[in-house]
Amino acid sequence: MMMKKIAIAAGLAMTLGFSAAQAQVPGYAANSSDTVWRTSFGECWQTSSWSIDKAVPGCAGYVAQADAPAPAPAPAPDVAGLERKFALYFDFDKTNVGDISTIVNHIGSLASVESIELVGHADRIGNMAYNDRLSQRRADAVAAALANAGVNRSLMSTSSMGSRSPVANCSGRGAELIACLRPDRRVDVEIKGTRRTQ
């Protein structure tokens, strides 16, 4: 009878040893399908190599890992004040507006726009009253072009300086003088707003 018990125990040990060797569940006796063997009490059958770090779900000693904490919300982007100036130039005695894409793109890149100031200028050729009107028409033409490009018209203000704020230092006459005075035929565009710093 004793021999029979020893044979059964040896057989069981061999079976468990074989199962554990075949198992891909470290620390547990398992079958070839990696199903952990259980005792008649429903407990997982641990091998001598078992340790708490090898515990698996459904077996004693397993502690579910706490969910990773939710990432902290991204900080609100900082904003910084920004003032930028542009100049648009005009042909002699003309109000036709050239390319405004650089200005429009800059406005579109801002977090918010506070104001857009448009100041028209004229060269010294002609009388002062005419140049005042011409420079105002230039400022108004730029405002209209920006509005047509989608810029909020209510953010814009226009004014004129006529020929009272020259930047060119020219001499000569005729076509040479007109070409030299081109920097005076302009609209200064000053944009104030805020930009994102991140």
Side-chain angles (χ1 to χ4, degrees):
M1 183 72 167
M2 184 67 154
M3 290 299 289
K4 188 174 181 183
K5 285 184 179 179
I6 291 172
I8 292 172
L12 182 57
M14 286 178 59
T15 303
L16 289 176
F18 178 78
S19 297
Q22 296 296 315
Q24 298 299 316
V25 187
Y28 292 92
N31 63 20
S32 60
S33 300
D34 291 334
T35 301
V36 175
W37 285 50
R38 293 181 180 272
T39 67
S40 58
F41 298 106
E43 296 171 347
C44 297
W45 202 301
Q46 301 167 352
T47 66
S48 59
S49 67
W50 183 90
S51 58
I52 190 70
D53 60 304
K54 295 178 182 175
V56 296
C59 294
Y62 177 77
V63 178
Q65 297 297 316
D67 290 336
D78 293 330
V79 293
L82 178 68
E83 181 177 313
R84 187 164 175 192
K85 296 181 180 180
F86 299 86
L88 292 169
Y89 298 99
F90 292 81
D91 292 334
F92 180 69
D93 200 25
K94 301 294 183 185
T95 60
N96 305 81
V97 180
D99 184 10
I100 60 170
S101 60
T102 300
I103 298 171
V104 173
N105 290 340
H106 172 70
I107 293 170
S109 73
L110 296 174
S112 65
V113 179
E114 181 183 328
S115 64
I116 303 169
E117 186 178 352
L118 309 169
V119 181
H121 299 269
D123 62 32
R124 67 177 188 245
I125 301 171
N127 69 58
M128 188 170 287
Y130 179 82
N131 286 337
D132 285 345
R133 293 191 299 273
L134 177 61
S135 62
Q136 182 63 53
R137 293 200 330 263
R138 285 172 175 161
D140 292 340
V142 173
L146 291 173
N148 286 340
V151 178
N152 186 343
R153 182 65 178 88
S154 68
L155 298 171
M156 299 181 232
S157 63
T158 63
S159 61
S160 64
M161 290 293 292
S163 56
R164 287 182 289 277
S165 185
V167 293
N169 184 12
C170 301
S171 58
R173 56 176 52 192
E176 181 185 348
L177 178 62
I178 289 172
C180 180
L181 290 172
R182 182 174 174 79
D184 291 343
R185 300 187 298 270
R186 70 187 188 278
V187 169
D188 290 329
V189 182
E190 182 176 326
I191 302 165
K192 294 180 181 177
T194 55
R195 63 179 173 186
R196 298 184 186 278
T197 58
Q198 66 176 23

